[in-house]
């Protein structure tokens, strides 16, 4: 029996003096076309931090040098 684990990334920035959060458009059902935080499944043997970096890069092209949990 295996357990599926997922990660989501909340990436914040200040844009024109206002706080903004990075969202992606969901590509698959359920909720295809809706906004979501970047994220996805953790691969076997992958750390949570590595999975978060990978998912962020895959879905947005953003390379996160450091993440805070």
């Amino acid at each position: 029996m295996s357990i599926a684990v997922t990660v989501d990334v909340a990436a914040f920035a200040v844009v024109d003096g206002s706080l903004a959060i990075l969202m992606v458009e969901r590509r698959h059902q359920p909720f295809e076309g809706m906004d979501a935080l970047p994220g996805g499944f953790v691969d076997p043997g992958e750390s949570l931090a590595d999975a978060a970096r990978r998912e962020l890069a895959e879905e947005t092209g953003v390379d996160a040098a450091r993440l805070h949990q």
Side-chain angles (χ1 to χ4, degrees), residues 5-12 21-24 26 35-42 48-49 51-53 55-56 59 67-69:
V5 177
T6 63
V7 292
D8 292 299
V9 178
F12 297 94
I21 187 165
L22 179 64
M23 302 290 284
V24 297
R26 288 185 59 112
D35 290 339
L37 294 172
F41 289 97
V42 178
L48 295 178
R53 281 187 200 87
E55 286 291 340
L56 184 62
E59 294 186 12
L67 297 173
H68 299 281
Q69 185 173 339

Side-chain angles (χ1 to χ4, degrees), residues 31-63:
F31 311 114
E32 182 177 4
M34 298 191 71
D35 290 339
L37 294 172
F41 289 97
V42 178
D43 291 337
E46 186 176 37
S47 73
L48 295 178
D50 287 343
R53 281 187 200 87
R54 176 182 53 76
E55 286 291 340
L56 184 62
E58 286 177 1
E59 294 186 12
T60 68
V62 173
D63 181 17

Side-chain angles (χ1 to χ4, degrees), residues 12-21:
F12 297 94
V14 177
V15 178
D16 296 328
S18 296
L19 188 61
I21 187 165

